[in-house]
Amino acid sequence: MLLDGDEWRATLRGFQSEAWRLETLPQYLVPQEAAELESFRSGKRVDLHTYSSAYTDDLKRLRGEGKHKGRVHVVTRPLSEYLCFEFSRYYAPHVAAGEEIRILDVTERENPLPDVQDFWMFDRSKIVLMHYESDGTQISRELYQGDPAPFVEYQRIAVAESVPFLEYVSE
């Protein structure tokens, strides 16, 4: 079953305790980000002390409700332009708002999650597979109908093998 529009928004908002994502691509082509990416290219950066968005407001609300949102992004160096943009524009303010973001750098080591595709996991029971073209353009979101246990294990491995985002960018 593919998730689009209202079904996807309901899935993102309807979790009870945890929403978690594995990201594996060096770039995601999102048309809504084009202007922000151009601003980044021209040197404009987000001020963490004043930045606010619907997403950061939602992260703060979720944290206040005792809910958890997190992700691990698998990367290799040198980081792509998009990852530098994503780190500055999204990850830094999202961590400040309460999202647990971790980085799994596989530049000088074997990837412990080879061939695992991007996915979202909600409450360790509902899995949504994220399908992309090779350039990072999203194709679809698919509600996985099988056993979530392998994805729970992927999460365990990703978290155990990664470092917190702020630690990664301070190195």
Side-chain angles (χ1 to χ4, degrees):
M1 175 177 157
L2 298 181
L3 297 177
D4 286 318
D6 291 339
E7 290 175 336
W8 175 238
R9 283 185 286 282
T11 300
L12 275 174
R13 293 184 182 125
F15 68 95
Q16 299 302 305
S17 61
E18 180 187 44
W20 189 85
R21 175 160 182 177
L22 179 69
E23 295 179 307
T24 64
L25 302 179
Q27 77 173 5
Y28 295 90
L29 294 182
V30 182
Q32 304 91 308
E33 294 178 346
E36 293 172 344
L37 182 55
E38 282 307 313
S39 293
F40 176 80
R41 286 177 176 145
S42 69
K44 185 176 179 189
R45 299 296 182 265
V46 170
D47 181 349
L48 290 178
H49 301 293
T50 61
Y51 179 79
S52 180
S53 71
Y55 191 83
T56 57
D57 292 345
D58 192 51
L59 286 169
K60 292 172 187 173
R61 179 188 58 78
L62 291 170
R63 189 175 58 197
E65 294 172 0
K67 295 180 180 181
H68 174 77
K69 206 167 200 181
R71 72 183 68 217
V72 171
H73 199 140
V74 180
V75 304
T76 57
R77 287 174 273 120
L79 296 177
S80 67
E81 177 189 51
Y82 181 84
L83 283 176
C84 293
F85 161 71
E86 186 175 55
F87 281 19
S88 171
R89 173 65 179 81
Y90 296 114
Y91 286 3
H94 294 176
V95 166
E99 184 171 1
E100 183 184 334
I101 300 175
R102 300 178 67 85
I103 304 299
L104 174 51
D105 190 324
V106 295
T107 303
E108 298 173 356
R109 59 177 286 194
E110 189 172 325
N111 184 347
L113 298 169
D115 305 318
V116 177
Q117 74 179 86
D118 283 41
F119 68 90
W120 276 95
M121 179 167 55
F122 302 94
D123 300 316
R124 297 187 178 192
S125 60
K126 182 185 247 183
I127 310 301
V128 177
L129 303 174
M130 308 297 287
H131 300 289
Y132 295 92
E133 297 284 355
S134 60
D135 69 356
T137 302
Q138 189 176 91
I139 301 169
S140 64
R141 301 173 201 96
E142 176 189 358
L143 183 61
Y144 178 73
Q145 302 294 328
D147 182 2
F151 296 90
V152 172
E153 179 64 5
Y154 299 151
Q155 179 191 34
R156 185 197 67 73
I157 292 167
V159 170
E161 299 289 332
S162 61
V163 298
F165 170 73
L166 292 177
E167 180 181 324
Y168 183 79
V169 295
S170 70
E171 293 177 353

